[in-house]
Amino acid sequence: MIARVFMWAFLLGLAVIVLYPLLWMVLNGFKTNAELFGNPFALPVDWSFTNYQKAWNRG
């Protein structure tokens, strides 16, 4: 039972370590350059899809 709890705690910690940078990268995609360089860890003020549109159109 204790080994199972440690296994799930390890897997949960690993999931956080893997998923947090991906979430941070997606959220930073919605920011303008000023917001990104001003405070990279804050949520976007204006949720702008233009960065994703530019990336899609440029390939």
Side-chain angles (χ1 to χ4, degrees), residues 24 28 31-42:
W24 185 63
N28 280 334
K31 293 181 180 181
T32 62
N33 283 341
E35 288 177 339
L36 182 62
F37 292 116
N39 192 355
F41 296 106

Side-chain angles (χ1 to χ4, degrees), residues 16-33:
V16 168
I17 289 172
V18 170
L19 294 177
Y20 178 73
L22 294 174
L23 179 63
W24 185 63
M25 190 170 48
V26 169
L27 287 177
N28 280 334
F30 290 109
K31 293 181 180 181
T32 62
N33 283 341

Side-chain angles (χ1 to χ4, degrees), residues 5-21:
V5 169
F6 282 122
M7 181 188 67
W8 280 106
F10 173 74
L11 290 175
L12 182 63
L14 188 63
V16 168
I17 289 172
V18 170
L19 294 177
Y20 178 73

